[in-house]
Amino acid sequence: MGKTDYHALMPAASNPLSETLHCDSCPVQDSAACSRLDAPQRQQLEMMGRGHIYQPGDIIFHAGDDNRQCATLISGLLKIVDCDSNGVERIITLIHPAGFVGELFAPLNRYDIVALNIARICLFPRADYEKMLNESPELTQGLLRRALQSVEDNQKFLALVNRRTAQEKVAGLLLALAESSGSAPCQPNPHVELCMTREEIAALLGITMETVSRQIGKLESAKLIKRAGAQHIDIIDHDGLQGLVE
Amino acid sequence: MGKTDYHALMPAASNPLSETLHCDSCPVQDSAACSRLDAPQRQQLEMMGRGHIYQPGDIIFHAGDDNRQCATLISGLLKIVDCDSNGVERIITLIHPAGFVGELFAPLNRYDIVALNIARICLFPRADYEKMLNESPELTQGLLRRALQSVEDNQKFLALVNRRTAQEKVAGLLLALAESSGSAPCQPNPHVELCMTREEIAALLGITMETVSRQIGKLESAKLIKRAGAQHIDIIDHDGLQGLVE
DNA sequence: CGCGAAGTTGATCGGACTCAACGCCCGTGG
DNA sequence: CCACGGGCGTTGAGTCCGATCAACTTCGCG
């Protein structure tokens, strides 16, 4: 990842792209952890946090850093990355809008959190956020729903990668991305934006970049999908893809 | 799994092994979701739930059933199982004592939940439990901590199985089980009780049972572990094992 | 135009899967 | 008591999927 991580390296307070929050116009105001707050509480959160914009490749939280912030993803896509000693990248999971990142009650960040897309997040000082959790049952309940959703997402992802062939993994990923970018879960978006290099897809699915490429090629020959540039794929036969993953 | 699931098939109310709860003597009273409750709240929970004991192989929740119960695991070990149409078993993850099972806010159980061990759980009607979540911020906060812990466990497990060789997976699993059964995280128990057949280990790690057997054999020849019966393994060289997974 | 990063494609290799035989343990019944 | 059988685990031989290594293409950019 040769991308600049310029913004991430600056202290949040002096980040030139930091801006005040405007929850009223927030696209995830109904689904994020803060969705159950009443007006005064929401205002309190607004004062507590700052909005930030990250570019693809920017590192939002560094593994090993002491963990003083947490955040809600407003738009874009993040990856949680486990980088081992040899520099082999292992993507633990993806974070979609409304997702919450930053571990509470833990001293250090265990993983890198990196933007795949242009990502808008609201960033909170962790201490303030935890304090507010103690005062606001609504925030706690909202975050609980988020956390349960994360558990579910992780379990689905485990089912996608464990004990599956390369073809099943690639097909399953395309379907998952189509669903997550669709207007509703039952209305998947046939135009899939990967937001990832082949290498990143490989790190996510636990296979190699060459295999990813070959499998995408096979799916295209089988007329299930169509490539439209490296990062974009059109799903032609959704049911056919679904059939590959059962 | 030819084991009887006799108890699971009976309605909870008439289950002869159902017993009233005694939180005072509960071994996970300090770490489970209910750990933050004060005395009256705890009493309320005690009246709401029932204790049950399951035998190895018993199915606690069936995938597809409507989901009216949730539970805290007191002792033993559970597996969450995704069984696909061909009957191929995929273990999503393991649940350790103090873990919470049963999805809240969801109509159906997505996965089978099965006892690997003799398992003691306290079972709650989901509606009552959710109602209490609305009334007790302490319970919500306790469950939040549990859920965040689940997310972390799942992430660790993903890092254990994704992009790893069979040897790394087996070594990593042994270390994880040693840690989870140890008195403290930093004091792993060298006597590991697998509680799983080779086939179950395979379903968990995403490899075949034969490969599991071969890898255990290799680790033994390398004098890192020692087999003591099929279900029990002694860790001889903890650091050596650790070295295999980096 | 040249350069480098990302992606594709091909050839070869190896680790894990598959299929099969065999050993071990334990319960059951003659 | 021993014979039998079945579940589970181990071990071996052959195959195949995906990894590895390498060439080449495509695209974006100075």
Side-chain angles (χ1 to χ4, degrees):
Chain A
M1 302 291 79
K3 295 279 174 47
T4 162
D5 47 4
Y6 180 75
H7 309 118
L9 293 176
M10 303 193 126
S14 69
N15 188 321
L17 294 186
S18 164
E19 54 183 27
T20 57
L21 300 179
H22 302 286
C23 297
D24 296 344
S25 59
C26 176
V28 297
Q29 60 180 300
D30 294 326
S31 52
C34 43
S35 61
R36 308 182 101 63
L37 300 184
D38 58 25
Q41 288 178 322
R42 191 167 278 212
Q43 202 169 3
Q44 191 184 340
L45 252 200
E46 261 180 359
M47 311 234 323
M48 218 164 84
R50 302 287 297 169
H52 289 261
I53 296 185
Y54 292 88
Q55 299 299 312
D58 284 356
I59 303 179
I60 297 172
F61 297 147
H62 272 274
D65 278 7
D66 59 341
N67 164 21
R68 302 179 183 230
Q69 306 212 284
C70 56
T72 288
L73 179 62
I74 298 174
S75 67
L77 192 64
L78 311 181
K79 62 175 177 179
I80 300 186
V81 183
D82 175 32
C83 240
D84 70 15
S85 43
N86 326 333
V88 177
E89 176 169 320
R90 222 186 310 271
I91 299 186
I92 301 293
T93 195
L94 301 179
I95 302 289
H96 294 277
F100 181 87
V101 290
E103 312 169 52
L104 299 176
F105 316 118
L108 293 177
N109 294 310
R110 241 162 347 113
Y111 303 113
D112 282 337
I113 303 207
V114 183
L116 288 172
N117 241 353
I118 295 180
R120 304 188 57 230
I121 70 172
C122 32
L123 205 59
F124 304 100
R126 206 190 81 180
D128 295 353
Y129 202 90
E130 286 179 358
K131 185 149 163 285
M132 187 159 171
L133 279 176
N134 281 323
E135 293 160 3
S136 162
E138 292 79 12
L139 183 59
T140 309
Q141 209 166 93
L143 190 56
L144 172 59
R145 282 182 186 251
R146 262 294 117 208
L148 293 173
Q149 183 66 47
S150 281
V151 172
E152 190 181 319
D153 290 347
N154 285 343
Q155 290 180 351
K156 270 193 196 160
F157 180 64
L158 270 160
L160 168 64
V161 294
N162 207 3
R163 255 192 177 191
R164 309 211 90 122
T165 63
Q167 175 143 56
E168 290 172 326
K169 290 180 185 184
V170 171
L173 176 64
L174 293 177
L175 288 171
L177 290 176
E179 183 173 325
S180 74
S181 72
S183 49
C186 54
Q187 197 59 35
N189 183 352
H191 304 292
V192 177
E193 205 59 56
L194 293 176
C195 314
M196 288 180 275
T197 65
R198 296 290 183 267
E199 201 154 19
E200 285 171 321
I201 297 175
L204 180 65
L205 297 179
I207 53 185
T208 61
M209 143 193 139
E210 292 93 329
T211 300
V212 172
S213 183
R214 274 184 255 271
Q215 294 304 329
I216 290 179
K218 276 193 190 175
L219 292 177
E220 190 171 31
S221 329
K223 304 243 192 270
L224 298 176
I225 64 172
K226 186 149 178 15
R227 278 181 274 208
Q231 302 272 57
H232 189 102
I233 285 185
D234 292 324
I235 295 183
I236 297 175
D237 182 354
H238 187 277
D239 293 349
L241 270 188
Q242 192 76 54
L244 292 179
V245 298
E246 283 133 317
Chain B
M1 304 286 77
K3 294 280 174 50
T4 163
D5 47 4
Y6 180 73
H7 310 117
L9 293 175
M10 303 193 127
S14 69
N15 188 322
L17 294 186
S18 164
E19 52 182 29
T20 56
L21 301 179
H22 302 287
C23 297
D24 295 344
S25 58
C26 175
V28 297
Q29 60 180 299
D30 294 326
S31 52
C34 42
S35 62
R36 309 182 102 63
L37 300 184
D38 58 26
Q41 288 178 323
R42 192 166 277 213
Q43 203 169 4
Q44 192 184 340
L45 252 199
E46 263 181 356
M47 310 234 323
M48 219 166 84
R50 303 286 297 169
H52 290 260
I53 296 185
Y54 292 88
Q55 297 300 312
D58 286 356
I59 302 178
I60 297 172
F61 297 147
H62 272 273
D65 278 8
D66 59 341
N67 165 20
R68 302 180 182 230
Q69 307 213 284
C70 57
T72 287
L73 179 63
I74 299 174
S75 67
L77 193 63
L78 310 181
K79 61 176 177 178
I80 299 186
V81 183
D82 175 33
C83 239
D84 71 13
S85 43
N86 326 331
V88 178
E89 176 170 319
R90 219 185 314 271
I91 299 185
I92 301 294
T93 194
L94 301 179
I95 302 289
H96 294 278
F100 181 88
V101 291
E103 310 169 54
L104 299 175
F105 317 117
L108 294 177
N109 294 311
R110 240 160 351 112
Y111 302 113
D112 281 337
I113 303 207
V114 183
L116 288 173
N117 240 354
I118 295 180
R120 304 186 59 230
I121 70 172
C122 32
L123 206 59
F124 304 100
R126 207 190 80 182
D128 295 353
Y129 201 90
E130 286 179 358
K131 185 151 164 284
M132 187 158 172
L133 279 177
N134 281 323
E135 293 160 3
S136 163
E138 291 80 12
L139 183 60
T140 309
Q141 206 166 96
L143 190 56
L144 173 59
R145 281 183 186 250
R146 261 294 118 209
L148 293 174
Q149 183 66 47
S150 281
V151 170
E152 189 180 320
D153 290 348
N154 285 342
Q155 290 180 351
K156 269 194 197 161
F157 180 63
L158 270 159
L160 168 64
V161 294
N162 207 5
R163 254 192 178 191
R164 308 211 93 121
T165 63
Q167 175 144 61
E168 291 171 327
K169 290 180 184 184
V170 171
L173 177 65
L174 293 178
L175 289 171
L177 290 176
E179 184 174 324
S180 74
S181 73
S183 49
C186 54
Q187 196 59 36
N189 182 353
H191 304 293
V192 177
E193 206 58 58
L194 293 177
C195 314
M196 288 180 275
T197 64
R198 297 290 184 268
E199 200 154 20
E200 285 172 321
I201 296 174
L204 179 67
L205 297 179
I207 54 184
T208 60
M209 151 195 130
E210 291 92 331
T211 301
V212 172
S213 184
R214 275 185 254 270
Q215 294 303 329
I216 290 180
K218 275 193 191 175
L219 293 177
E220 190 171 32
S221 332
K223 305 244 193 268
L224 298 176
I225 64 172
K226 187 151 179 9
R227 278 181 273 208
Q231 302 271 60
H232 189 102
I233 285 184
D234 292 323
I235 294 183
I236 298 175
D237 182 354
H238 187 278
D239 293 348
L241 270 189
Q242 192 75 53
L244 292 180
V245 298
E246 283 130 319

